[in-house]
Amino acid sequence: MASHGYGSRRRWAGGLPRYLREIQSEIEVYVQGYGLDYFTTYFELINYDEMNEIASFGGFPTRYPHWRFGMEYERMKKYSTYGLSKIYELVINNDPCTAYLLEGNSLVDQKLVMAHVFAHCDFFKNNLWFDHTNRRMIDEMANHGSRIRGYMDRYGVERVENFIDYCLSIDNLIDIHNPPLPQAIMPKDVAVEREEDDQVLGPGDVPRLKAKSYMDTYINPPEFLKEQREAQAREQKKALKFPVQPVRDVLGFLMEHAPLKTWERGVLEIMREEAYYFAPQGQTKIMNEGWATYWHSRIMTEKALDASEIIDYADHASGVTASHGAQLNPYKLGVELFRHIVERWDKGRFGKEWDECEDMAQREKWDTGAGLGNEKIFEVRRTHNDVTFLDEFLTYDFVRDQKLFAFGYNPHHRRYEIESRKFHDVKKQLLTQMTNMGQPVIRIVDANDNNRGELLLEHVHEGVDLDPAYTKEVLTNLHYLWKRPTAVLTRTEDKLLRASYDGSEFKEEEVGEVSATPGTQIQKA
């Protein structure tokens, strides 16, 4: 399975049975009635094994061959066999959208899945963070598979798979806020133009304001000229730096500048393109699932269910939004926050007067009859991702009503424990988990470190230290791609560290001091 991939044979074999086509038509009428705007959506009916195969491929019917897909298939198959999990649906961000229904699901489940899928398709089509994604990705994934198979035929399966492993180990090192757009990575040989009258400036000179000789020391004080010379020297040094500005798109930088063979560059290009395609799904997981859950719950309870189906629906839907131990459920958090927004904007609980009201009794009874909830959530769906969604709409009242808390690991008791129920602490922990999809922010700051062609990266510290084991493996794999020593500047316990790998030895050393303010740039001593 991992070598050949699953072929989308059922898509063209005859479509859905008649009873499911009728349900789809019914659900579409309800969906359109609520104002959802989605891509044309095709449903395919598949069995458990096929669902696990497609899910192991990230929801696509075919991908490039690689051992990790087979491993993921085996994991999903075991979870399904032992009743530990069940995949109800899969939907692909594509135009038209393709979604999969599971054979053996009850009619209630099929209705729920269709309503859920249409809401996902609406989100894919209208959310700003998906605007850059390839809407023909099913075809593109098939092309990627063909290209990788061609490389394997020419250069060997093991050699190509090993190179894919190196690429996948760093596929999170992309700039999620600047998806595949032209970037000025290489320094440009641009002469610095000055417009200071007719002054002739020699090396080390700086522009001076015109003044009589007896006023020159007042108009052009020596301290000011010294500062100007130092600033000019910094700018000249910066102009020779490569890259000119720190680069977060590490994959793109390596693709352009690493000493790779043509086929290696092609593989890296594929990994980067797919990483950017999947990035918005990681950036909007809570919103996307919350949006789909919100609308399937309304469609089912207000339109699609009859009396005999309510108990079954409630049983299955409660499983989707249930919280399990220390794991955050994006369905639950997302749907409850959308409901919270609807309630606030329907009752007018926003604006200057609401923010300034400190009377708790008045706040509890506050209802201006604004009725703007539905309009507001469509606006939110369009512009936000998980970070901005939580930052703007997670309120003290919501945290209190949902009984949210922040937790952490207590090494003394060797278990996770509640650390705080304070609103600020809960919100901070949630935002930390969501920022950059929970991944460290890494960027290239110098591709010619020590003037020896070494690659220097920087960890933008946001309060969470790098894992030394991961750091070692990533630097090792970057060394394979860059062919020169690699290093990363990071910090821990307010100490500036440099972790490096030179091809034979990994080492960490303290190299200076660092500001204690989280999120600040790290500078070498």
Side-chain angles (χ1 to χ4, degrees), residues 1 16 108 110 130 147 169 192 298 316 320 325 333 346 351 355 370 372 400-401 440 455 468 493 523:
M1 172 255 171
L16 293 178
V108 175
Q110 305 293 29
F130 284 86
R147 287 176 63 187
S169 70
V192 179
R298 286 197 60 183
H316 297 168
V320 172
L333 181 59
D346 275 347
D355 292 337
L372 298 174
R400 179 197 62 200
D401 295 343
L455 188 67
E493 298 178 358
Q523 300 295 336

Side-chain angles (χ1 to χ4, degrees), residues 398-433:
F398 179 83
V399 170
R400 179 197 62 200
D401 295 343
Q402 295 298 319
K403 299 180 174 61
L404 299 179
F405 55 85
F407 66 92
Y409 185 74
N410 186 329
H412 180 69
H413 294 152
R414 298 182 181 180
R415 65 185 181 187
Y416 286 94
E417 296 178 353
I418 295 175
E419 293 184 336
S420 176
R421 294 184 183 273
K422 295 180 180 178
F423 167 65
H424 176 268
D425 294 335
V426 172
K427 186 171 184 177
K428 180 180 178 181
Q429 186 159 329
L430 278 172
L431 290 176
T432 299
Q433 287 179 244

Side-chain angles (χ1 to χ4, degrees), residues 371-485:
L372 298 174
N374 204 59
E375 178 183 339
K376 183 62 180 179
I377 59 172
F378 275 93
E379 174 191 319
V380 171
R381 175 265 271 147
R382 173 58 185 161
T383 58
H384 286 272
N385 60 29
D386 284 347
V387 173
T388 59
F389 183 56
L390 294 174
D391 190 35
E392 185 164 347
F393 300 107
L394 190 78
T395 64
Y396 170 84
D397 294 332
F398 179 83
V399 170
R400 179 197 62 200
D401 295 343
Q402 295 298 319
K403 299 180 174 61
L404 299 179
F405 55 85
F407 66 92
Y409 185 74
N410 186 329
H412 180 69
H413 294 152
R414 298 182 181 180
R415 65 185 181 187
Y416 286 94
E417 296 178 353
I418 295 175
E419 293 184 336
S420 176
R421 294 184 183 273
K422 295 180 180 178
F423 167 65
H424 176 268
D425 294 335
V426 172
K427 186 171 184 177
K428 180 180 178 181
Q429 186 159 329
L430 278 172
L431 290 176
T432 299
Q433 287 179 244
M434 298 300 115
T435 300
N436 201 45
M437 302 183 291
Q439 303 287 340
V441 177
I442 305 291
R443 55 191 190 178
I444 295 173
V445 292
D446 196 347
N448 189 29
D449 190 38
N450 297 321
N451 200 32
R452 294 185 297 197
E454 299 175 4
L455 188 67
L456 179 65
L457 301 101
E458 172 188 69
H459 171 216
V460 181
H461 200 280
E462 299 284 353
V464 180
D465 298 340
L466 292 181
D467 185 317
Y470 279 91
T471 302
K472 178 180 179 180
E473 293 301 321
V474 169
L475 288 177
T476 301
N477 293 342
L478 280 172
H479 177 273
Y480 179 87
L481 298 172
W482 188 248
K483 315 299 185 190
R484 299 287 298 164

